[in-house]
Amino acid sequence: MNELPRLGLGADELLSTTRAVRKRLDLDRPVDPALIDECIELAAQAPTGSNAQGWHFVVVTDDAKRRRLGELYRAGFELFYGDRAAAEAGLPADDPDYVATTRRVIDSAEHLARHMGEVPVMLIPCIEGRTDEGGVMIQASVWGSLLPAVWSFMLAARERTLGTCWTTLHLLHEREAAELLGLPDTVMQGALIPVAHTVGTDFKPGPRRDLSRVVHHDTW
Ligand SMILES: Cc1cc2nc3c(=O)[nH]c(=O)nc-3n(C[C@H](O)[C@H](O)[C@H](O)COP(=O)(O)O)c2cc1C
């Protein structure tokens, strides 16, 4: 049996180099299902409100289902970013570095949208209950009981030479994806996470806007 790959990253390096991987997903290399199992086991160590553990992890490897999810994702991308000028209209003119980074992100996202259906593994994390009618306390508690686990999955994946990218655009076609996967009406999908080995394993911290804009002490 092959030994499962590990990078041996320190905690700070893992936290600062787990990137949204799109162009460097290796679409041709298979992913050992045991790696996905390990990542889910670690993900399930994340906190949940009232210890509810209402999460579900739908792992999609079936060819036809991946292809269809890829189509739904692409359609969502076209709806959201099809009018590129409109998508970029709200970017802050006084922060050219951020504008340039965001334009690169959209280019990269377009690449992923073209290839989503070819990614070897997709994770669709779901949560029991719906927040369609809920106030902020309910929304924060329900989503807060799923999303930390998803990020843990992505960190665990990075440590195992797998790349991931948080995506949500397929949710513009939430019902179609739910029907494809046989999800009950009582759950929500939180994301679509493509998972593949990365081309190379060296990743750097991402550019971020100046934190002095957003860090507040005692008052806003
Ligand atoms: C809630 C959320 C939704 C996102 N949706 C998408 C998406 O639909 N498609 C995509 O390519 N990237 C998506 N991203 C990834 C972001 O574009 C990415 O995290 C951001 O540009 C920063 O890049 P980095 O994670 O490599 O630092 C999403 C990220 C988050 C947190």
Side-chain angles (χ1 to χ4, degrees):
M1 204 170 75
N2 286 341
E3 203 165 301
L4 297 174
R6 295 289 296 264
L7 293 177
L9 300 176
D12 288 8
E13 190 179 3
L14 182 67
L15 287 165
S16 61
T17 66
T18 301
R19 295 268 70 75
V21 186
R22 304 183 185 91
K23 292 183 174 173
R24 288 175 60 190
L25 296 171
D26 188 340
L27 303 176
D28 299 318
R29 184 171 163 196
V31 174
D32 187 332
L35 281 177
I36 303 295
D37 292 347
E38 284 188 353
C39 295
I40 293 175
E41 204 142 303
L42 287 163
Q45 289 298 313
T48 53
S50 305
N51 193 28
Q53 298 175 49
W55 45 37
H56 292 258
F57 303 95
V58 183
V59 179
V60 184
T61 55
D62 176 80
D63 286 352
K65 289 185 179 175
R66 282 186 298 121
R67 213 170 25 249
R68 181 66 187 137
L69 285 170
E71 288 167 3
L72 293 175
Y73 182 81
R74 175 90 184 251
F77 180 88
E78 292 301 334
L79 274 175
F80 207 77
Y81 288 113
D83 182 348
R84 193 62 187 264
E88 293 181 7
L91 292 175
D94 62 347
D95 193 343
D97 289 347
Y98 172 70
V99 170
T101 300
T102 304
R103 288 200 172 120
R104 277 198 302 275
V105 166
I106 300 174
D107 285 343
S108 167
E110 190 171 6
H111 175 88
L112 179 62
R114 277 199 297 271
H115 295 282
M116 183 65 100
E118 301 159 48
V119 171
V121 181
M122 294 171 174
L123 173 76
I124 305 237
C126 300
I127 188 80
E128 292 169 11
R130 296 205 56 101
T131 57
D132 307 72
E133 310 294 334
V136 169
M137 185 271 176
I138 296 295
Q139 292 175 40
S141 301
V142 172
W143 288 118
S145 295
L146 179 65
L147 305 186
V150 180
W151 183 234
S152 291
F153 176 95
M154 294 165 75
L155 293 168
R158 159 90 174 117
E159 166 60 16
R160 287 160 178 76
T161 76
L162 297 171
T164 58
C165 180
W166 200 301
T167 81
T168 46
L169 289 169
H170 88 287
L171 293 173
L172 291 168
H173 301 282
E174 181 198 359
R175 289 322 313 159
E176 290 95 321
E179 275 166 33
L180 179 74
L181 301 172
L183 306 182
D185 291 342
T186 48
V187 307
M188 294 185 294
Q189 305 163 59
L192 162 55
I193 312 290
V195 188
H197 284 283
T198 52
V199 178
T201 56
D202 189 33
F203 290 87
K204 296 190 169 38
R208 292 294 186 259
R209 301 183 77 186
D210 184 0
L211 286 180
S212 64
R213 294 172 50 254
V214 292
V215 178
H216 310 274
H217 293 283
D218 297 328
T219 186
W220 185 273

